[in-house]
Amino acid sequence: TEEFFQESGLHYIRSFDGIDDLPIDDYDIFLYTSNADGMPNILLEAASKGLPIVAPDIGGVKDFIKDGETGLLIDDYRDSGAYVQALEKLKDADLRMKLATNAQKLLKKGFTEEKWKRGVVEIFDE
C-alpha cells in the first residue's frame, strides 16, 4: 500500500496484480532483469501469454528457460550488453515464435497444477 512507502525514500506508483496487470498486447518480448530469484511465476505467466522471454541465469530460472529453446538466458545479470545482444537476436520473428511456442509446450507439460500438487505431497510424505 501507499502508506507502507511513506518516508521510505521510494516512490509508490501502484500495486502490481500479476501478468494481466501489464499491457502485454503492446509488447513482443518479456525482458526479466532480476538479480536474485527462485523460479519466478512471472516467467510462467509471460510464457502463457505467448511472449518470448529474455532472463538472467539466476536461481531456478533455467529450470524453465532453456537457452535458445524456450527463451534466451543471460549468463551475468549485470551484463547489459548481453541483454542488447539477446534483443538483437529477437528481431527475428521466427525465433520469437519458436521460443514462445516451445515455452508454452514446456509450461503445459512440466509446470501443471497437478505436477505441483504431486511435488507437495512427495515433500510431506518424506
Side-chain angles (χ1 to χ4, degrees):
T1 64
E2 194 167 353
E3 294 80 33
F4 177 81
F5 291 96
Q6 287 178 348
E7 299 180 34
S8 70
L10 299 174
H11 179 69
Y12 176 83
I13 296 173
R14 64 180 178 82
S15 64
F16 175 65
D17 226 6
I19 196 78
D20 290 329
D21 199 24
L22 299 175
I24 294 300
D25 295 335
D26 296 343
Y27 299 98
D28 297 320
I29 298 164
F30 189 81
L31 181 64
Y32 188 70
T33 60
S34 179
N35 66 355
D37 221 326
M39 177 60 245
N41 285 338
I42 194 73
L43 297 182
L44 306 178
E45 294 171 353
S48 76
K49 299 295 185 180
L51 289 174
I53 298 167
V54 175
D57 184 3
I58 57 160
V61 169
K62 67 181 167 192
D63 291 339
F64 184 65
I65 302 299
K66 313 292 183 195
D67 192 39
E69 186 180 331
T70 61
L72 297 179
L73 278 178
I74 304 301
D75 289 331
D76 182 353
Y77 71 89
R78 296 167 292 200
D79 185 359
S80 59
Y83 284 98
V84 171
Q85 288 176 343
L87 294 174
E88 285 292 325
K89 287 180 185 177
L90 289 176
K91 286 182 177 180
D92 180 339
D94 291 335
L95 178 59
R96 288 195 314 270
M97 180 62 74
K98 173 191 149 190
L99 297 175
T101 300
N102 288 343
Q104 285 183 321
K105 287 178 184 175
L106 179 57
L107 182 65
K108 289 176 184 173
K109 178 182 174 189
F111 292 84
T112 64
E113 184 176 349
E114 294 77 28
K115 189 170 183 177
W116 177 82
K117 286 177 183 177
R118 280 190 306 245
V120 171
V121 168
E122 287 175 14
I123 290 169
F124 286 105
D125 282 349
E126 288 182 5

